[in-house]
PDB file of all heavy atoms in Angstrom:
ATOM      1  N   LEU A 331      16.431  17.107  13.112  1.00 90.00           N
ATOM      2  CA  LEU A 331      17.743  16.593  12.703  1.00 90.00           C
ATOM      3  C   LEU A 331      18.126  16.996  11.346  1.00 90.00           C
ATOM      4  O   LEU A 331      19.317  16.852  10.890  1.00 90.00           O
ATOM      5  CB  LEU A 331      17.807  15.104  12.852  1.00 90.00           C
ATOM      6  CG  LEU A 331      17.753  14.585  14.299  1.00 90.00           C
ATOM      7  CD1 LEU A 331      18.131  13.073  14.375  1.00 90.00           C
ATOM      8  CD2 LEU A 331      18.722  15.315  15.195  1.00 90.00           C
ATOM      9  N   ILE A 332      17.175  17.415  10.424  1.00 91.00           N
ATOM     10  CA  ILE A 332      17.552  17.799   9.062  1.00 91.00           C
ATOM     11  C   ILE A 332      17.834  19.330   9.082  1.00 91.00           C
ATOM     12  O   ILE A 332      18.334  19.885   8.031  1.00 91.00           O
ATOM     13  CB  ILE A 332      16.519  17.422   8.030  1.00 91.00           C
ATOM     14  CG1 ILE A 332      15.242  18.236   8.136  1.00 91.00           C
ATOM     15  CG2 ILE A 332      16.173  15.970   8.070  1.00 91.00           C
ATOM     16  CD1 ILE A 332      14.306  18.062   7.043  1.00 91.00           C
ATOM     17  N   ASP A 333      17.489  20.014  10.111  1.00 90.00           N
ATOM     18  CA  ASP A 333      17.748  21.454  10.185  1.00 90.00           C
ATOM     19  C   ASP A 333      19.258  21.545  10.719  1.00 90.00           C
ATOM     20  O   ASP A 333      19.553  21.351  11.871  1.00 90.00           O
ATOM     21  CB  ASP A 333      16.811  22.165  11.213  1.00 90.00           C
ATOM     22  CG  ASP A 333      17.030  23.615  11.197  1.00 90.00           C
ATOM     23  OD1 ASP A 333      17.973  24.141  10.602  1.00 90.00           O
ATOM     24  OD2 ASP A 333      16.270  24.314  11.926  1.00 90.00           O
ATOM     25  N   TYR A 334      20.129  21.959   9.767  1.00 83.00           N
ATOM     26  CA  TYR A 334      21.596  22.003  10.155  1.00 83.00           C
ATOM     27  C   TYR A 334      21.878  23.015  11.204  1.00 83.00           C
ATOM     28  O   TYR A 334      22.810  22.882  11.947  1.00 83.00           O
ATOM     29  CB  TYR A 334      22.409  22.323   8.861  1.00 83.00           C
ATOM     30  CG  TYR A 334      23.851  22.394   9.159  1.00 83.00           C
ATOM     31  CD1 TYR A 334      24.612  21.280   9.208  1.00 83.00           C
ATOM     32  CD2 TYR A 334      24.473  23.686   9.263  1.00 83.00           C
ATOM     33  CE1 TYR A 334      25.989  21.354   9.444  1.00 83.00           C
ATOM     34  CE2 TYR A 334      25.873  23.757   9.488  1.00 83.00           C
ATOM     35  CZ  TYR A 334      26.585  22.659   9.624  1.00 83.00           C
ATOM     36  OH  TYR A 334      27.915  22.672   9.893  1.00 83.00           O
ATOM     37  N   GLN A 335      21.058  24.066  11.277  1.00 74.00           N
ATOM     38  CA  GLN A 335      21.312  25.079  12.276  1.00 74.00           C
ATOM     39  C   GLN A 335      21.094  24.586  13.760  1.00 74.00           C
ATOM     40  O   GLN A 335      21.455  25.205  14.677  1.00 74.00           O
ATOM     41  CB  GLN A 335      20.356  26.258  12.068  1.00 74.00           C
ATOM     42  CG  GLN A 335      20.536  26.976  10.731  1.00 74.00           C
ATOM     43  CD  GLN A 335      19.568  28.041  10.477  1.00 74.00           C
ATOM     44  OE1 GLN A 335      18.963  28.584  11.404  1.00 74.00           O
ATOM     45  NE2 GLN A 335      19.474  28.573   9.247  1.00 74.00           N
ATOM     46  N   TYR A 336      20.488  23.422  13.828  1.00 71.00           N
ATOM     47  CA  TYR A 336      20.278  22.825  15.092  1.00 71.00           C
ATOM     48  C   TYR A 336      20.954  21.437  15.181  1.00 71.00           C
ATOM     49  O   TYR A 336      20.419  20.462  14.689  1.00 71.00           O
ATOM     50  CB  TYR A 336      18.736  22.669  15.434  1.00 71.00           C
ATOM     51  CG  TYR A 336      18.464  22.143  16.789  1.00 71.00           C
ATOM     52  CD1 TYR A 336      18.568  22.998  17.878  1.00 71.00           C
ATOM     53  CD2 TYR A 336      18.272  20.794  17.020  1.00 71.00           C
ATOM     54  CE1 TYR A 336      18.398  22.467  19.192  1.00 71.00           C
ATOM     55  CE2 TYR A 336      18.055  20.298  18.330  1.00 71.00           C
ATOM     56  CZ  TYR A 336      18.112  21.138  19.370  1.00 71.00           C
ATOM     57  OH  TYR A 336      17.964  20.657  20.643  1.00 71.00           O
ATOM     58  N   LYS A 337      22.185  21.374  15.680  1.00 70.00           N
ATOM     59  CA  LYS A 337      22.841  20.159  15.794  1.00 70.00           C
ATOM     60  C   LYS A 337      23.388  19.911  17.187  1.00 70.00           C
ATOM     61  O   LYS A 337      24.480  20.278  17.628  1.00 70.00           O
ATOM     62  CB  LYS A 337      24.105  20.213  14.800  1.00 70.00           C
ATOM     63  CG  LYS A 337      23.760  20.069  13.309  1.00 70.00           C
ATOM     64  CD  LYS A 337      23.187  18.702  13.074  1.00 70.00           C
ATOM     65  CE  LYS A 337      22.692  18.545  11.650  1.00 70.00           C
ATOM     66  NZ  LYS A 337      22.075  17.175  11.393  1.00 70.00           N
ATOM     67  N   LYS A 338      22.410  19.455  17.953  1.00 72.00           N
ATOM     68  CA  LYS A 338      22.769  19.191  19.385  1.00 72.00           C
ATOM     69  C   LYS A 338      22.927  17.614  19.570  1.00 72.00           C
ATOM     70  O   LYS A 338      22.793  16.831  18.618  1.00 72.00           O
ATOM     71  CB  LYS A 338      21.570  19.597  20.307  1.00 72.00           C
ATOM     72  CG  LYS A 338      21.546  21.176  20.390  1.00 72.00           C
ATOM     73  CD  LYS A 338      22.588  21.701  21.260  1.00 72.00           C
ATOM     74  CE  LYS A 338      22.461  23.213  21.502  1.00 72.00           C
ATOM     75  NZ  LYS A 338      23.488  23.780  22.316  1.00 72.00           N
ATOM     76  N   ASN A 339      23.157  17.262  20.759  1.00 84.00           N
ATOM     77  CA  ASN A 339      23.271  15.811  21.115  1.00 84.00           C
ATOM     78  C   ASN A 339      21.928  15.133  20.808  1.00 84.00           C
ATOM     79  O   ASN A 339      20.892  15.577  21.341  1.00 84.00           O
ATOM     80  CB  ASN A 339      23.635  15.707  22.624  1.00 84.00           C
ATOM     81  CG  ASN A 339      23.900  14.236  22.924  1.00 84.00           C
ATOM     82  OD1 ASN A 339      23.024  13.353  22.774  1.00 84.00           O
ATOM     83  ND2 ASN A 339      25.053  13.972  23.521  1.00 84.00           N
ATOM     84  N   GLU A 340      21.945  14.117  19.921  1.00 89.00           N
ATOM     85  CA  GLU A 340      20.723  13.504  19.505  1.00 89.00           C
ATOM     86  C   GLU A 340      19.984  12.833  20.662  1.00 89.00           C
ATOM     87  O   GLU A 340      18.726  12.792  20.639  1.00 89.00           O
ATOM     88  CB  GLU A 340      21.015  12.508  18.413  1.00 89.00           C
ATOM     89  CG  GLU A 340      21.469  13.177  17.054  1.00 89.00           C
ATOM     90  CD  GLU A 340      22.422  12.376  16.342  1.00 89.00           C
ATOM     91  OE1 GLU A 340      22.878  11.243  16.844  1.00 89.00           O
ATOM     92  OE2 GLU A 340      22.812  12.686  15.150  1.00 89.00           O
ATOM     93  N   LYS A 341      20.716  12.356  21.629  1.00 89.00           N
ATOM     94  CA  LYS A 341      20.041  11.656  22.749  1.00 89.00           C
ATOM     95  C   LYS A 341      19.295  12.655  23.614  1.00 89.00           C
ATOM     96  O   LYS A 341      18.133  12.416  24.118  1.00 89.00           O
ATOM     97  CB  LYS A 341      21.089  10.837  23.594  1.00 89.00           C
ATOM     98  CG  LYS A 341      21.671   9.743  22.727  1.00 89.00           C
ATOM     99  CD  LYS A 341      22.796   9.063  23.454  1.00 89.00           C
ATOM    100  CE  LYS A 341      23.487   8.042  22.604  1.00 89.00           C
ATOM    101  NZ  LYS A 341      24.712   7.428  23.129  1.00 89.00           N
ATOM    102  N   LEU A 342      19.905  13.812  23.873  1.00 92.00           N
ATOM    103  CA  LEU A 342      19.263  14.885  24.591  1.00 92.00           C
ATOM    104  C   LEU A 342      18.061  15.371  23.822  1.00 92.00           C
ATOM    105  O   LEU A 342      16.971  15.768  24.468  1.00 92.00           O
ATOM    106  CB  LEU A 342      20.219  16.013  24.895  1.00 92.00           C
ATOM    107  CG  LEU A 342      21.387  15.747  25.809  1.00 92.00           C
ATOM    108  CD1 LEU A 342      22.259  17.014  26.021  1.00 92.00           C
ATOM    109  CD2 LEU A 342      20.880  15.245  27.223  1.00 92.00           C
ATOM    110  N   THR A 343      18.160  15.500  22.497  1.00 93.00           N
ATOM    111  CA  THR A 343      17.035  15.864  21.658  1.00 93.00           C
ATOM    112  C   THR A 343      15.818  14.938  21.775  1.00 93.00           C
ATOM    113  O   THR A 343      14.687  15.354  21.895  1.00 93.00           O
ATOM    114  CB  THR A 343      17.469  15.899  20.172  1.00 93.00           C
ATOM    115  OG1 THR A 343      18.561  16.827  20.008  1.00 93.00           O
ATOM    116  CG2 THR A 343      16.300  16.391  19.324  1.00 93.00           C
TER     117      THR A 343
END
Side-chain angles (χ1 to χ4, degrees):
L331 292 194
I332 71 173
D333 187 355
Y334 179 80
Q335 297 180 15
Y336 183 79
K337 286 293 176 183
K338 289 286 184 180
N339 186 305
E340 291 149 353
K341 297 172 186 177
L342 294 180
T343 301

